Amino acid sequence: MSDAASHIVRAACPHDCPDSCAMEVEVADGRALKVRGAADMPFTHGALCTKVAHYLERVYSPQRLLHPMKRIGRKGEGRFARISWDEALDTIAARFAAIAADDPRAILPYSYAGTMGLVHSAGMDRRFFHRLGASLLDRTICASAGAMGWKATVGASQGADPEAVANARLILIWGANPVVSNLHGWRHLLEAKRRGARLICIDPWRTATAEKCHLHIAPLPGSDGALALAMMQVLIAEDLLDHDYIARHTLGYAALAERVQTHTPEWAAPLCGVDAATIRALAREYGAAGGDTLIRLNYGLNRHAGGGMAVRNIACLPALTGAWRKPGCGALLSTSGNFPVDQHALERPDLYPDPERFPPRTINMTTIGRDLLEASAPPIRAIYVYNANPLAVAPDGRRVREGFAREDLFCVVHELFQTDTADYADILLPATSQLEQHDVHTAYGHFYALANTPAIAPLGEARSNAEVFRQLAARLGFTDTALCEDDETVAAAAFDHGDRRAHGLDPATLRARGWARLNLPRPFAPFAAGGFRTPSGKCEFHSATLAAAGHDPLPAWHPPRESAAVNPALAARFPLALISPPARNFLNSSFANLPRFLADEGTPKLELHPADAAARAIADGERVRIHNDRGSFSARAVITARVRPGVVVSPSIWWRKLSGDGENANAVTSDALTDFGGGACFYDCLVEVSRT
Ligand SMILES: Nc1nc2c(c(=O)[nH]1)N[C@H]1C(S)=C(S)[C@@H](COP(=O)(O)OP(=O)(O)OC[C@H]3O[C@@H](n4cnc5c(=O)[nH]c(N)nc54)[C@H](O)[C@@H]3O)O[C@H]1N2
Ligand SMILES: Nc1nc2c(c(=O)[nH]1)N[C@H]1C(S)=C(S)[C@@H](COP(=O)(O)OP(=O)(O)OC[C@H]3O[C@@H](n4cnc5c(=O)[nH]c(N)nc54)[C@H](O)[C@@H]3O)O[C@H]1N2
Ligand SMILES: [Mo]
């Protein structure tokens, strides 16, 4: 029982996960006693994942940074001395002012989704860097390839209603591992299973999710585009189609039919490493379900050279069978496009000072190592990292480290913990946790907006992202109102209240209850009667937008960059395809420094097939080295038939300095970019594995 003196504060899980949970924080005497999932929030349903159920171990961790510090050792060494906030802010403001006097684009903000709150990750921060005239950052590291493939086809990041998926009779879980990375969405998929739906998992790895499905199909990494093309070929050749839906609500069917003619299951089989009979049976089952189908895809399959086109090809399937007609059917990648976010009001790109003299310059976050080493006009002279841990999460880790090690680079890191990246800071600033700050959230896996009210005072001298940007703005003489607003004012500007979907999201209501569903029909079938948000208003099998951008306007096969088919010489030296998907107890590299989660994960692991292990004389439990021309990392071998021959899996993302050898999976990944959207090719990576 809770103490009589305690009270409940409504909060929102800030982490990068489709589930964005509503939380209740029990507080007494200024201290948080317990965090639990909000029982009244339908999607959270009173439950938190194993990580956030223990959130207070993160908030009150003895590892929390509590004071500003300056570097006293070499870059990367991680030795710091405490300084005051005044000294920290004065130092940063002076350096930024000096650099900006030459060319403000030499300053680069670097952030991703440490918190997904709009105030602290897409609000005051953006306003500050826009006003400064800093380089813009293209935030591509996760989802940009798939998002572009999806948008080219369907028009917006919208899809099936995640709470209505129990309507589906056949569910393909494709490049997604919801048991690990979308637990609350999984609850609804399980409900479908209970009601008799058949679940098929398409994943090179036999995940916890695959084990709970009726069928697991394990294609080679990066081959989903071919698999989807072959499914379309069968659907069309065998007339397993909804002709009425195609005629009314799609564009370019004839061209698509012609395009896929030669893409038979026999064509796809060697590319996917799946036999033609299995592919044909999958397509027939999908077609025979007559539209009572859902494809739940996630971003796993977009981390390949052809990831954008793979998502596009898959996004075509439900329009062929009319699966969009029914709520909970069709396909779901992200729900984020349903939220009427007023991005202009939040980010204020109009504050950019002098576009004539300094035309905006954009840096792609995926290639940060290369950019720090090679960018010119102007070179990057200062970097400000917040909400991100690039030293652990960015590809081609050796170059990332070399870039951050530049002696002439002025590096600010704002963090809760002394991450791998923090070790490279010149000035290291302590950040508040979600329990210590105001914010407002959308979601990419459901239809509820969330408000986060601070439950406790900032620990030590920690300050929030927005607070630091306000204070830097003041020191730099930026007097714009937009840079003085408090967090609640910024949060109040987050939604476009003229949009009917925002009815019910007014700040007071949202804050009082902590969450509110978008004003959408319940259940919601966004494309039941067409209404795609593409230029034509139809599902675009043929995309003039892609053509105008120099891409193939039709679904096509974009092979992986690193594979035997594309680069046999490379594959001869590095015959194994490495994927490094989320470890259950980590959230990207967050939580990967806390004792409970480190104990649960144990040590970096590499799963490999018995045949691949035998060929290398590797024994189970032995330490192995995973290597290619970019670098190497080591892990403990787990010999298992959960992976197919030729594929190895290393659950990620470990902090380098806690991994045992100072490296992690990103020592071997490449910073090549995806076909669409300039995304990262994390899972398009050939390696060899040896005994150490
Ligand atoms: N516990 C936990 N939850 C998380 C995260 C985490 O790190 N830990 N990360 C969060 C983030 S940032 C994101 S973006 C989301 C989603 O994160 P995603 O990266 O989409 O992760 P998953 O949903 O785990 O799906 C990845 C699955 O795709 C599979 N896969 C890899 N390559 C291929 C391929 O070529 N084809 C197919 N068919 N499958 C492939 C992997 O084996 C894995 O099982 O999850 C979020 N949730
Ligand atoms: N090999 C491999 N690499 C990958 C992936 C993979 O599957 N395999 N996944 C990729 C994907 S999907 C993603 S999304 C990226 C994730 O990359 P990141 O978004 O960089 O994710 P995290 O590693 O969790 O780092 C976020 C950091 O933000 C900090 N933080 C949290 N809240 C706040 C705050 O309020 N203020 C400040 N200043 N800091 C805060 C956290 O302490 C944490 O250290 O990694 C990518 N890298
Ligand atoms: Mo992500």
Side-chain angles (χ1 to χ4, degrees):
M1 272 304 290
S2 41
D3 193 289
S6 75
H7 65 283
I8 299 295
V9 176
R10 293 285 186 161
C13 176
H15 291 286
D16 186 355
C17 167
D19 295 9
S20 292
C21 287
M23 311 193 295
E24 292 175 354
V25 186
E26 189 182 327
V27 187
D29 293 332
R31 197 173 165 87
L33 304 177
K34 195 162 174 44
V35 172
R36 55 180 168 257
D40 58 352
M41 199 296 223
F43 206 77
T44 305
H45 200 63
L48 294 173
C49 69
T50 44
K51 299 173 293 300
V52 179
H54 301 286
Y55 211 56
L56 298 182
E57 293 177 25
R58 180 173 164 88
V59 172
Y60 291 118
S61 164
Q63 295 180 48
R64 277 285 299 271
L65 296 172
L66 299 175
H67 314 284
M69 295 192 279
K70 68 176 178 194
R71 178 167 66 87
I72 51 170
R74 280 180 294 104
K75 293 231 178 191
E77 205 181 333
R79 289 203 298 128
F80 294 94
R82 181 174 173 178
I83 55 174
S84 67
W85 267 107
D86 276 337
E87 182 181 345
L89 294 168
D90 287 342
T91 306
I92 299 167
R95 289 298 287 266
F96 279 12
I99 295 171
D102 295 338
D103 187 339
R105 298 170 304 174
I107 302 167
L108 178 71
Y110 195 91
S111 73
Y112 200 64
T115 170
M116 297 199 76
L118 296 175
V119 175
H120 297 289
S121 78
M124 191 54 77
D125 55 324
R126 310 295 176 100
R127 293 178 181 184
F128 173 77
F129 287 110
H130 282 145
R131 174 66 184 82
L132 184 60
S135 276
L136 306 174
L137 184 72
D138 197 4
R139 293 176 170 80
T140 54
I141 205 155
C142 172
S144 59
M148 181 169 159
W150 182 269
K151 281 182 194 158
T153 314
V154 171
S157 290
Q158 287 183 304
D161 181 341
E163 288 173 290
V165 300
N167 291 333
R169 287 198 297 124
L170 174 68
I171 298 178
L172 309 188
I173 299 176
W174 200 331
N177 184 8
V179 170
V180 164
S181 55
N182 175 207
L183 192 61
H184 298 76
W186 173 246
R187 190 171 74 82
H188 293 278
L189 298 171
L190 268 185
E191 174 58 21
K193 188 180 178 194
R194 244 177 260 121
R195 291 198 204 168
R198 197 166 128 84
L199 270 51
I200 300 178
C201 182
I202 304 175
D203 193 313
W205 188 27
R206 190 168 178 82
T207 58
T209 304
E211 267 165 18
K212 295 190 169 63
C213 291
H214 298 96
L215 177 66
H216 173 213
I217 296 174
L220 290 167
S223 69
D224 307 276
L227 184 58
L229 285 170
M231 286 178 70
M232 290 196 260
Q233 191 276 334
V234 175
L235 293 173
I236 292 171
E238 303 190 3
D239 196 23
L240 299 165
L241 302 168
D242 182 333
H243 289 285
D244 177 61
Y245 194 90
I246 292 171
R248 284 172 199 261
H249 304 309
T250 72
L251 184 73
Y253 172 73
L256 174 73
E258 195 190 326
R259 166 61 60 94
V260 301
Q261 234 165 30
T262 53
H263 294 322
T264 59
E266 285 69 23
W267 165 82
L271 304 172
C272 300
V274 176
D275 60 78
T278 302
I279 299 175
R280 187 165 278 111
L282 173 67
R284 284 180 177 156
E285 190 176 352
Y286 185 77
D292 286 337
T293 58
L294 170 74
I295 302 174
R296 179 50 163 127
L297 56 165
N298 211 332
Y299 293 102
L301 63 82
N302 99 139
R303 309 191 201 294
H304 297 274
M309 192 61 96
V311 169
R312 168 157 164 74
N313 295 355
I314 293 168
C316 291
L317 289 164
L320 288 173
T321 61
W324 290 117
R325 290 183 189 274
K326 294 178 189 133
C329 296
L332 174 61
L333 177 59
S334 165
T335 60
S336 62
N338 293 293
F339 290 84
V341 173
D342 190 340
Q343 212 174 340
H344 185 274
L346 277 171
E347 303 189 1
R348 297 294 306 275
D350 56 301
L351 294 172
Y352 194 88
D354 196 352
E356 305 276 296
R357 182 159 169 233
F358 298 117
R361 189 263 297 266
T362 301
I363 296 286
N364 184 336
M365 73 183 303
T366 295
T367 50
I368 185 59
R370 201 185 332 170
D371 295 327
L372 287 172
L373 295 170
E374 295 170 7
S376 57
I380 299 166
R381 294 168 60 193
I383 187 166
Y384 187 112
V385 182
Y386 62 104
N387 294 345
N389 186 11
L391 261 292
V393 310
D396 199 357
R398 182 177 53 83
R399 268 208 281 201
V400 178
R401 181 163 44 203
E402 282 170 16
F404 274 92
R406 265 178 47 199
E407 273 305 327
D408 62 337
L409 178 73
F410 178 62
C411 176
V412 179
V413 177
H414 190 192
E415 250 300 346
L416 286 94
F417 298 103
Q418 193 174 332
T419 59
D420 290 334
T421 307
D423 286 345
Y424 287 81
D426 292 288
I427 300 288
L428 178 54
L429 305 174
T432 41
S433 77
Q434 182 79 337
L435 266 49
E436 299 148 54
Q437 62 199 21
H438 265 290
D439 219 325
V440 61
H441 290 249
T442 62
Y444 63 96
H446 59 66
F447 294 153
Y448 298 83
L450 306 168
N452 184 72
T453 301
I456 57 173
L459 296 197
E461 295 180 4
R463 292 183 186 173
S464 71
N465 294 351
E467 182 63 11
V468 175
F469 291 122
R470 278 187 291 263
Q471 291 169 350
L472 283 174
R475 276 177 166 71
L476 286 162
F478 301 159
T479 51
D480 317 64
T481 317
L483 294 169
C484 305
E485 288 176 354
D486 65 18
D487 295 351
E488 285 165 283
T489 308
V490 180
F495 297 112
D496 170 6
H497 293 287
D499 188 311
R500 357 191 344 266
R501 296 173 297 180
H503 289 179
L505 300 192
D506 63 280
T509 313
L510 196 54
R511 193 154 307 291
R513 198 170 53 168
W515 57 270
R517 189 175 185 275
L518 288 172
N519 179 33
L520 297 170
R522 181 198 294 270
F524 183 42
F527 313 127
F532 291 92
R533 306 245 301 271
T534 53
S536 64
K538 302 193 171 198
C539 176
E540 296 196 349
F541 298 142
H542 182 280
S543 165
T545 314
L546 284 181
H551 296 293
D552 193 329
L554 288 171
W557 165 232
H558 290 176
R561 193 167 164 276
E562 300 194 358
S563 63
V566 173
N567 193 340
L570 187 72
R573 296 171 58 222
F574 304 114
L576 301 171
L578 169 73
I579 56 176
S580 47
R584 184 182 200 133
N585 295 288
F586 301 159
L587 194 291
N588 300 321
S589 79
S590 295
F591 300 92
N593 59 319
L594 300 175
R596 171 189 297 275
F597 308 108
L598 282 169
D600 285 348
E601 286 299 324
T603 175
K605 293 183 190 109
L606 184 81
E607 297 197 8
L608 76 174
H609 189 270
D612 289 326
R616 292 161 181 80
I618 292 168
D620 192 62
E622 197 173 5
R623 220 162 167 76
V624 292
R625 201 168 69 87
I626 301 98
H627 55 101
N628 59 21
D629 288 334
R630 289 177 290 264
S632 74
F633 71 105
S634 57
R636 180 183 299 161
V638 177
I639 300 178
T640 169
R642 279 195 300 269
V643 290
R644 49 178 299 156
V647 176
V648 292
V649 179
S650 190
S652 291
I653 306 170
W654 285 79
W655 283 25
R656 284 176 165 188
K657 60 181 164 185
L658 302 178
S659 68
D661 69 349
E663 297 288 355
N664 70 11
N666 284 321
V668 294
T669 56
S670 91
D671 71 353
L673 299 180
T674 52
D675 50 355
F676 297 163
C681 291
F682 288 112
Y683 304 164
D684 192 332
C685 177
L686 287 177
V687 297
E688 179 54 291
V689 177
S690 324
R691 307 172 66 181
T692 52

